[in-house]
Amino acid sequence: MMERRMDTALLVLLMGHLAAALEVPLDLLEELPQPPTITQQSPKDYIIDPRENIVIHCDAKGKPHPSFSWTRNGTHFDIDEDVNVVMRPHSGTLVVDISREKADHYEGVYQCTARNKHGTAVSHNIVIRQSIAFSILRALLKGSPLWSKERIKQIVVQEGVSLVLPCRPPAGLPPPIIFWMDNNFQRLPQSSRVSQSLNGDLYFSNVLREDSRNDYICYARFPHTQTIQQKQPITVKVLNQDPVDERKPTFLIPSGSSSSHTVLRGQVLEMECIAEGLPTPEISWIKLSGDLPTQRMSYLYYQKNLRIVNVSASDAGDYRCSAKNMLGSVHHTIHVSVKASPYWIGGAPRNLVLAPGENGVLTCRASGTPKPSITWAMNGIPIANSPKDLSRKVEEDTIIFTDIQMGSSAVYQCNVSNDHGYLMANAFVNVLSEPPRVLTPANKVYQVIKNHRARIDCAFFGSPIPKITWFKDSRSSTLDGDPYIQHDNGTLEIHTAQARNSGKYTCAARNMLGIYENHVYLEVKEPTRILKQPEYKVVQRGRSVVFECKVKHDPTLVPTMTWLKDDGELPDDERLIVDSDSLTITDVTESDGGVYTCIMNTTLDHDSASAELTVVEATPTPAVVYERPDPPTDLELTDQKKRSVQLTWTPGDEHNSPIQKFLIQYDDSLHHRGHWHNLTEVPGTRTTAHLKLSPYVHYTFRVLALNAMGFSRPSFPSRMFKTEAAAPDENPKDVEGFGTEHDNLVISWKPLTGLQSNGPGLRYRVMWRQKAVESDWTTVTVSNNSRFVVSGTPTFVPYELKVQAVNDHGVGPEPAIARGYSGEDLPVAAPENVQVVVLNSTLAEVHWDPVPHKLIRGHLKGYKVYYWKERSLHKHNPYHMEKLILMFSGNHSHGMVPGLHPFSVYSFNVRVYNGKGEGPVSPTQQFDTPEGVPGAPTSLIVTNSNLDTLTLEWSPPHDRKGRITGYTLKYQPVNNSNELGPVEELALLANETSVTLPNLKYSTRYKFYLNAKTVRGAGPAISQEAVTIVDEALMSLLDVDVGEGTAGSTQSSHPLAQPPPHRLPDEALPVSPFGNVSSSVGEDGPLISWEYWGPEKNVYVEYMVENSEGEQEWQKEPVNGSQNVVLKGLKGGLSYRVRLVAKGHHDQPLHHSEELLVTVPAVASRQVDIATQGWFIGLMCAIALLILILLIICFIQRNKGGKYPVKEKEDAHTDPEFQPMKEDDCTFGEYSDNEDHKPLKGSRTPSNGTVKRDDSDDSLVDYGEGGDGQFNEDGSFIGQYSGKSGSRDTAEGHESSEAPSPINTMNSLNSFV
């Protein structure tokens, strides 16, 4: 038997190297088969809250993904048969809904099984039970008392005797926390005379008169339910009638002279001794069989309680407590036995990856008191009942595999148990045949600063386990000696990198199936160093100062120079000029004084230096020369102690400026050689200093002197003084706890510096425990690290944390407790009872019930509302599907959703999110937005302008926001002074897009307003202006007034209705964000209007003259965010090409609209109704006055003349131009006053070149009184007039073909007169 065990041990030793393969990250190679591995399971003893659903965790990984099943109380648990139990998808976790069934129905022992075709893994037994505290809580809610009903009588005692006040709380799981308080909820004071025992009773070693009170109340707090219950108050009355004699101590608890106590390894041992006596006895403790563990023990309740944490086997033995006063002493011996539930030796069994034909070992090393028994199972079946495997041999705590073959993959379970508990672990044996591969990225470049440590990775995998070999450059030899260190995980380390270590490195992974090589590169960079540091400066106010900071750095690294003032950013002041290697301050003021620091940073390292600037008042040139002092000399160390030393020195020459102070600096050659640190300052009148020092430092001192001109050069260093090592004086700061995964807790801290370590072997004792559970502290010790990862923690639970510094000479002080949380996981529930209230056409309010905190599984960040437009309820609006997100931080239960589009269908859902991410989505719901007020019509143009009618054409609004129910058109005339006339309103149908307005005034400017309507009301209006056409007869009259050279200038300056703009030929243009581009000619210039829906903000109008010669550039006119612009300053009579341009970022193309051709009228002056012009009225009045004078003269001449027989003479000499003319046959007729209102008509030139006088010419016949047009004067007078008239008209007919004007008519009358 002994030989067999020795053979097994030898085989295990020879195969120990195989365990290293288990460190390979198999999970990175997802294509490989892998048996199941349990990754998460609920604790063995699972106390549930009956008010919430029960969640029993069981998760596993494997390839293929495993399936799950459960047993309950040893039999199969059919989940499908129980409607209250569901299993989460892709997981074995059970969720029990207790809304229809009491929680105690599901109490029992559960076990989870995860299996795939490569094996079966099982969880440990999970005992589900509800806390007794909840039964107590239910009793409280029903009004039942916690404590048994009893009538508590007043306690009357004599002063000096002992007294015990019982509490006797009900049992709880976990046990309640007991404390005593009064009616004011103030804790009762305790002392060496009065204290509370472990069972909660209150003990008085002797009572005093001041102990009399009627409110001794015992409280019990149940941690799991966070409830507190109190006992009935106890009244104590202390009498002073018969004084009690003093007496020696006796023990109240424990009784007798000895007792025994059993405690489990790793738990807390608590022993108590409470004695009575007068005077009050003092309690002391000793260990009869050894020394007390001072590092793990503490005294509570005035040394009546001895507490030892993290009990080990060495704590077993006899302990004696003693009670002593002046009259004597008493002793009690407690025999402590330490038992142990099973615990792993060297860790739980680890997974094994073997290649076919390889050998391997699974070990299950555990211990305990009493010695535990070990049993094996394969795929959940006892190994004795499992299929035989010739390659497998079981030897107690070891399974040996020899010449293993494919198909032997399985999961083995190791169960270790004794009377105090059990351990159960899964470990798979995965038989794979895989060639080697390197997981580190190829051609990765590692950069390191010279003289620093360099590590080059070579993460690998293969089966059999590959052998790793490193080569450099030419591959002349392997890298396996100084200065190279090769680690088991393939990493190559160079402790102190030098420039010669730069180059190409090759990592070769080799096994029987092949070889895999990976190349990486190492670059060793020169360190960054400040060659010339800034110097201390004293500068007069108003002068300039320059701080130099010259730096040397590796030329391949990009440096960044930063200057600080008093450890903050430089002031934003143009007087401070930063160059590449200097800082210049001009016109110095008092505020510029301070410490300036230059910092040179690269991607790998940095260096810094500081200097102080002192600003002094400007003074006349001094007669005496002031300089900095000379450095002190003759440094000497005296009065040397463990943590202090006396330093003396001799001051140097002051140079006419008294020394103000001395600065003492030190260099620590043990931890930070070559760096001087400020230690202390002393006044300039002293030449000695008592220096307080830290342990474990190799000190060298120097002194600098300071006067008004600055610091001296440093003195020569003193001799070295070494302080002895000691235990740490302080613990790490900034202790934090957080999770990076859902099942871990990362404990981090700020490590101590070498100066703070106080000795060699600095390490950290990391302690943690769950805050909500009364559990013991778990402790590990780490070194050379500033963080520790606790795996297998429950998801997002609070923890209490402590980190204590330890070195080879002892431990630091008791650390403060920090708090943190284990890792978060995604929320497991969606918000429920999600509802929406539509407030108006663009705003809705979403409500939901907050997700319970336990289901959030992390720090609640808030809620997200996802919403998107499904469709518009109007057929003309486009379809949208862009999802939008609204985030509501914190514990919100509702939120506003703004910016909705009216008359649309929206979908939405709600999710809760924490620091890990979003939880499940709530069911998607829909809601409709009501109709809104429509936008303005897209365009409004004027066509078919006539004398008294105009036609308006428009396009419906681009954004309808509902069903258009109609349009409202308003218009009003505008006079010459831009005053608006009365408004006319016209209601139009929804399907109309044009209207003709009749009965308008000719030559009148109108302003039009058009808006669309829905059931919610009218939207904004689009406006336009236009002018009716000028009457041609009136234009003829104006032509007569203007005279020669103005015959063609008949256009009105008012904006005329334009036909649709001329479009240039189509070109291959990108999709334009412009639409409905139109133009109209206004009084100030052409008005360009458009619609724009692009993202660019820089929009402008470009224009240029059509058919312009040469390379004429486009002229630009900004639009300032509007959608219309008036182009001013254009030349009349020319046509212009006009387009719109949208400009984005510099790397984005321009967007152009299609070009318009806009013609500017030749007459730019304003022209309105001529009948209303003052100059025209004055001219007409003058003409009428002249005609009246002429008529008066004619009548006077007629009355003077006699009657002559000239009838025959007139008939013989009739002038045809003086015949009455009729309009229908161009003959002369009678003059009629009813024709005065008709406009004058222009003359025309006949084809024979002669000029005829039309009916607009005046003659004396028109002013006659006879109906036949004959005068009653004598014939001689008529004949003479007729002859003159004929000759004059013939001459004028050859001079001009223009129509006669009123001025010409007046001239002819004047010549007649």
Side-chain angles (χ1 to χ4, degrees), residues 352-373:
L352 194 60
V353 179
L354 297 174
E358 275 196 311
N359 303 329
V361 175
L362 274 183
T363 58
C364 182
R365 297 287 177 81
S367 183
T369 306
K371 182 180 179 181
S373 61

mmCIF file of all heavy atoms in Angstrom, residues 352-373:
data_model
loop_
_atom_site.group_PDB
_atom_site.id
_atom_site.type_symbol
_atom_site.label_atom_id
_atom_site.label_comp_id
_atom_site.label_asym_id
_atom_site.label_seq_id
_atom_site.Cartn_x
_atom_site.Cartn_y
_atom_site.Cartn_z
ATOM 1 N N LEU A 352 -8.132 20.143 -17.233
ATOM 2 C CA LEU A 352 -6.974 19.486 -17.839
ATOM 3 C C LEU A 352 -7.220 19.353 -19.338
ATOM 4 O O LEU A 352 -8.265 18.867 -19.779
ATOM 5 C CB LEU A 352 -6.793 18.099 -17.208
ATOM 6 C CG LEU A 352 -5.461 17.387 -17.447
ATOM 7 C CD1 LEU A 352 -4.304 18.209 -16.912
ATOM 8 C CD2 LEU A 352 -5.475 16.014 -16.777
ATOM 9 N N VAL A 353 -6.258 19.822 -20.123
ATOM 10 C CA VAL A 353 -6.322 19.715 -21.586
ATOM 11 C C VAL A 353 -5.183 18.808 -22.013
ATOM 12 O O VAL A 353 -4.008 19.110 -21.769
ATOM 13 C CB VAL A 353 -6.207 21.091 -22.254
ATOM 14 C CG1 VAL A 353 -6.263 20.938 -23.776
ATOM 15 C CG2 VAL A 353 -7.304 22.011 -21.768
ATOM 16 N N LEU A 354 -5.500 17.693 -22.643
ATOM 17 C CA LEU A 354 -4.511 16.695 -23.044
ATOM 18 C C LEU A 354 -4.672 16.361 -24.513
ATOM 19 O O LEU A 354 -5.775 16.422 -25.069
ATOM 20 C CB LEU A 354 -4.670 15.421 -22.204
ATOM 21 C CG LEU A 354 -4.440 15.544 -20.696
ATOM 22 C CD1 LEU A 354 -4.774 14.240 -20.012
ATOM 23 C CD2 LEU A 354 -3.018 15.968 -20.394
ATOM 24 N N ALA A 355 -3.562 15.988 -25.100
ATOM 25 C CA ALA A 355 -3.582 15.506 -26.474
ATOM 26 C C ALA A 355 -3.680 13.984 -26.451
ATOM 27 O O ALA A 355 -3.310 13.331 -25.468
ATOM 28 C CB ALA A 355 -2.326 15.944 -27.208
ATOM 29 N N PRO A 356 -4.200 13.368 -27.495
ATOM 30 C CA PRO A 356 -4.252 11.898 -27.542
ATOM 31 C C PRO A 356 -2.871 11.298 -27.317
ATOM 32 O O PRO A 356 -1.887 11.728 -27.910
ATOM 33 C CB PRO A 356 -4.782 11.602 -28.948
ATOM 34 C CG PRO A 356 -5.545 12.832 -29.322
ATOM 35 C CD PRO A 356 -4.813 13.967 -28.700
ATOM 36 N N GLY A 357 -2.827 10.292 -26.417
ATOM 37 C CA GLY A 357 -1.575 9.634 -26.103
ATOM 38 C C GLY A 357 -0.818 10.254 -24.954
ATOM 39 O O GLY A 357 0.189 9.707 -24.505
ATOM 40 N N GLU A 358 -1.259 11.406 -24.458
ATOM 41 C CA GLU A 358 -0.569 12.068 -23.357
ATOM 42 C C GLU A 358 -1.021 11.494 -22.019
ATOM 43 O O GLU A 358 -2.047 10.809 -21.916
ATOM 44 C CB GLU A 358 -0.844 13.575 -23.373
ATOM 45 C CG GLU A 358 0.075 14.350 -24.268
ATOM 46 C CD GLU A 358 0.040 15.837 -23.968
ATOM 47 O OE1 GLU A 358 -1.072 16.392 -23.880
ATOM 48 O OE2 GLU A 358 1.114 16.432 -23.820
ATOM 49 N N ASN A 359 -0.255 11.789 -20.979
ATOM 50 C CA ASN A 359 -0.572 11.422 -19.616
ATOM 51 C C ASN A 359 -0.947 12.670 -18.832
ATOM 52 O O ASN A 359 -0.466 13.768 -19.129
ATOM 53 C CB ASN A 359 0.609 10.735 -18.944
ATOM 54 C CG ASN A 359 1.071 9.512 -19.712
ATOM 55 O OD1 ASN A 359 0.258 8.840 -20.354
ATOM 56 N ND2 ASN A 359 2.362 9.223 -19.654
ATOM 57 N N GLY A 360 -1.779 12.511 -17.810
ATOM 58 C CA GLY A 360 -2.176 13.655 -16.996
ATOM 59 C C GLY A 360 -2.705 13.211 -15.656
ATOM 60 O O GLY A 360 -2.970 12.026 -15.424
ATOM 61 N N VAL A 361 -2.863 14.204 -14.776
ATOM 62 C CA VAL A 361 -3.299 13.919 -13.414
ATOM 63 C C VAL A 361 -4.323 14.965 -12.990
ATOM 64 O O VAL A 361 -4.117 16.166 -13.223
ATOM 65 C CB VAL A 361 -2.103 13.940 -12.436
ATOM 66 C CG1 VAL A 361 -2.593 13.774 -10.997
ATOM 67 C CG2 VAL A 361 -1.128 12.848 -12.768
ATOM 68 N N LEU A 362 -5.422 14.517 -12.390
ATOM 69 C CA LEU A 362 -6.364 15.396 -11.695
ATOM 70 C C LEU A 362 -6.166 15.179 -10.206
ATOM 71 O O LEU A 362 -6.242 14.037 -9.722
ATOM 72 C CB LEU A 362 -7.810 15.059 -12.062
ATOM 73 C CG LEU A 362 -8.410 15.700 -13.302
ATOM 74 C CD1 LEU A 362 -9.873 15.274 -13.439
ATOM 75 C CD2 LEU A 362 -8.303 17.204 -13.264
ATOM 76 N N THR A 363 -5.925 16.237 -9.453
ATOM 77 C CA THR A 363 -5.727 16.124 -8.000
ATOM 78 C C THR A 363 -6.812 16.888 -7.273
ATOM 79 O O THR A 363 -7.242 17.961 -7.711
ATOM 80 C CB THR A 363 -4.348 16.666 -7.587
ATOM 81 O OG1 THR A 363 -4.242 18.016 -8.000
ATOM 82 C CG2 THR A 363 -3.243 15.841 -8.214
ATOM 83 N N CYS A 364 -7.234 16.315 -6.142
ATOM 84 C CA CYS A 364 -8.264 16.928 -5.300
ATOM 85 C C CYS A 364 -7.704 16.951 -3.879
ATOM 86 O O CYS A 364 -8.038 16.101 -3.047
ATOM 87 C CB CYS A 364 -9.559 16.120 -5.393
ATOM 88 S SG CYS A 364 -10.935 16.796 -4.441
ATOM 89 N N ARG A 365 -6.825 17.908 -3.625
ATOM 90 C CA ARG A 365 -6.132 17.974 -2.351
ATOM 91 C C ARG A 365 -6.933 18.865 -1.400
ATOM 92 O O ARG A 365 -7.160 20.037 -1.676
ATOM 93 C CB ARG A 365 -4.740 18.565 -2.543
ATOM 94 C CG ARG A 365 -3.832 17.724 -3.418
ATOM 95 C CD ARG A 365 -3.381 16.466 -2.691
ATOM 96 N NE ARG A 365 -2.573 15.629 -3.552
ATOM 97 C CZ ARG A 365 -1.264 15.831 -3.792
ATOM 98 N NH1 ARG A 365 -0.660 16.844 -3.212
ATOM 99 N NH2 ARG A 365 -0.606 15.033 -4.582
ATOM 100 N N ALA A 366 -7.337 18.279 -0.263
ATOM 101 C CA ALA A 366 -8.104 19.031 0.721
ATOM 102 C C ALA A 366 -7.765 18.509 2.105
ATOM 103 O O ALA A 366 -7.242 17.392 2.273
ATOM 104 C CB ALA A 366 -9.594 18.931 0.451
ATOM 105 N N SER A 367 -8.065 19.307 3.090
ATOM 106 C CA SER A 367 -7.847 18.905 4.476
ATOM 107 C C SER A 367 -9.011 19.401 5.308
ATOM 108 O O SER A 367 -9.863 20.175 4.840
ATOM 109 C CB SER A 367 -6.516 19.474 4.990
ATOM 110 O OG SER A 367 -6.271 19.040 6.310
ATOM 111 N N GLY A 368 -9.030 18.980 6.587
ATOM 112 C CA GLY A 368 -10.079 19.382 7.506
ATOM 113 C C GLY A 368 -9.917 18.637 8.808
ATOM 114 O O GLY A 368 -9.095 17.722 8.938
ATOM 115 N N THR A 369 -10.666 19.068 9.800
ATOM 116 C CA THR A 369 -10.644 18.401 11.110
ATOM 117 C C THR A 369 -12.089 18.108 11.521
ATOM 118 O O THR A 369 -12.866 19.056 11.729
ATOM 119 C CB THR A 369 -9.964 19.286 12.165
ATOM 120 O OG1 THR A 369 -8.672 19.658 11.688
ATOM 121 C CG2 THR A 369 -9.831 18.542 13.474
ATOM 122 N N PRO A 370 -12.490 16.845 11.652
ATOM 123 C CA PRO A 370 -11.673 15.657 11.359
ATOM 124 C C PRO A 370 -11.361 15.541 9.876
ATOM 125 O O PRO A 370 -11.920 16.246 9.048
ATOM 126 C CB PRO A 370 -12.556 14.519 11.844
ATOM 127 C CG PRO A 370 -13.938 15.053 11.715
ATOM 128 C CD PRO A 370 -13.853 16.522 12.045
ATOM 129 N N LYS A 371 -10.435 14.596 9.555
ATOM 130 C CA LYS A 371 -9.991 14.420 8.177
ATOM 131 C C LYS A 371 -11.187 14.101 7.285
ATOM 132 O O LYS A 371 -11.967 13.195 7.574
ATOM 133 C CB LYS A 371 -8.963 13.306 8.102
ATOM 134 C CG LYS A 371 -8.406 13.105 6.694
ATOM 135 C CD LYS A 371 -7.382 11.993 6.666
ATOM 136 C CE LYS A 371 -6.858 11.792 5.246
ATOM 137 N NZ LYS A 371 -5.868 10.681 5.186
ATOM 138 N N PRO A 372 -11.342 14.838 6.172
ATOM 139 C CA PRO A 372 -12.506 14.626 5.312
ATOM 140 C C PRO A 372 -12.326 13.405 4.419
ATOM 141 O O PRO A 372 -11.209 12.935 4.163
ATOM 142 C CB PRO A 372 -12.575 15.903 4.489
ATOM 143 C CG PRO A 372 -11.165 16.374 4.421
ATOM 144 C CD PRO A 372 -10.521 15.983 5.726
ATOM 145 N N SER A 373 -13.441 12.913 3.949
ATOM 146 C CA SER A 373 -13.443 11.829 2.965
ATOM 147 C C SER A 373 -13.615 12.432 1.570
ATOM 148 O O SER A 373 -14.248 13.471 1.401
ATOM 149 C CB SER A 373 -14.565 10.844 3.247
ATOM 150 O OG SER A 373 -15.831 11.508 3.162
#
